[in-house]
């Protein structure tokens, strides 16, 4: 029964929806981690000058839930999910870049590049992948049946 449910869920979501669902759960969990045990704010002074990291956690949680909901939308209507997925890592990359420019956090340049490549870049690439770009694998012929 669990395999049947997994197949049904995969068929409902498709490739893009699965990607969005994984992102949505991940971003939501990352935001919750900021509420449960906030990390230090080194390199994020631009954000913490506006409000605390606990408040910024809600950006991750809200966008994560929006991404998760958009995973169940049809292809073509899931674009807002990809935009919501881009918001938190873009904000964090901007904060780290500013920290490098102002001299507050020299390591921030590497963290910003990490956010821009492994988050923003991957999300932008996945947004361009069509749902059915690879033809289905051919099924083997049945033996013993007349054609």
């Amino acid at each position: 029964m669990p395999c049947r449910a997994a197949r049904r869920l995969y068929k409902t979501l498709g490739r893009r929806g699965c990607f969005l669902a994984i992102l949505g759960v991940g971003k939501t969990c990352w935001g919750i981690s900021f509420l449960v045990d906030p990390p230090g704010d080194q390199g994020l002074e631009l954000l913490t000058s506006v409000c605390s990291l606990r408040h910024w956690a809600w950006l991750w949680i809200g966008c994560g839930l929006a991404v998760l909901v958009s995973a169940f939308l049809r292809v073509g209507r899931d674009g807002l999910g990809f935009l919501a997925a881009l918001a938190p890592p873009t904000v964090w990359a901007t904060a780290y870049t500013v920290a490098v420019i102002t001299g507050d956090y020299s390591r921030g340049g590497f963290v910003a590049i990490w956010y821009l490549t492994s988050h923003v870049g991957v999300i932008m690439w996945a947004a361009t992948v069509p749902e059915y770009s690879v033809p289905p694998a051919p099924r083997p012929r049945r033996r013993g049946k007349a054609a």
Side-chain angles (χ1 to χ4, degrees):
M1 184 66 102
C3 291
R4 179 181 285 170
R7 280 193 299 270
R8 174 183 260 167
L9 181 63
Y10 180 75
K11 187 174 182 180
T12 300
L13 292 176
R15 292 183 338 162
R16 290 167 58 100
C18 284
F19 180 76
L20 286 172
I22 292 167
L23 276 180
V25 170
K27 289 184 184 311
T28 303
C29 288
W30 186 249
I32 292 171
S33 77
F34 280 96
L35 292 177
V36 173
D37 188 19
D41 64 347
Q42 190 174 13
L44 298 173
E45 289 84 7
L46 177 67
L47 301 180
T48 57
S49 68
V50 176
C51 57
S52 73
L53 286 179
R54 287 184 179 265
H55 291 96
W56 284 106
W58 289 102
L59 173 69
W60 286 93
I61 295 169
C63 288
L65 292 174
V67 172
L68 183 60
V69 167
S70 70
F72 292 91
L73 299 177
R74 288 188 347 218
V75 174
R77 295 183 182 219
D78 59 358
L80 288 177
F82 286 102
L83 285 176
L86 286 172
T90 302
V91 169
W92 254 245
T94 302
Y96 282 118
T97 302
V98 169
V100 169
I101 292 170
T102 60
D104 293 335
Y105 189 51
S106 61
R107 184 175 171 254
F110 300 105
V111 180
I113 291 170
W114 178 72
Y115 271 113
L116 291 173
T117 56
S118 67
H119 293 304
V120 175
V122 171
I123 293 166
M124 291 176 66
W125 168 79
T128 64
V129 173
E131 180 63 31
Y132 299 105
S133 62
V134 178
R139 292 185 163 206
R141 290 186 173 188
R142 292 184 181 178
R143 293 185 180 194
K145 294 268 185 172

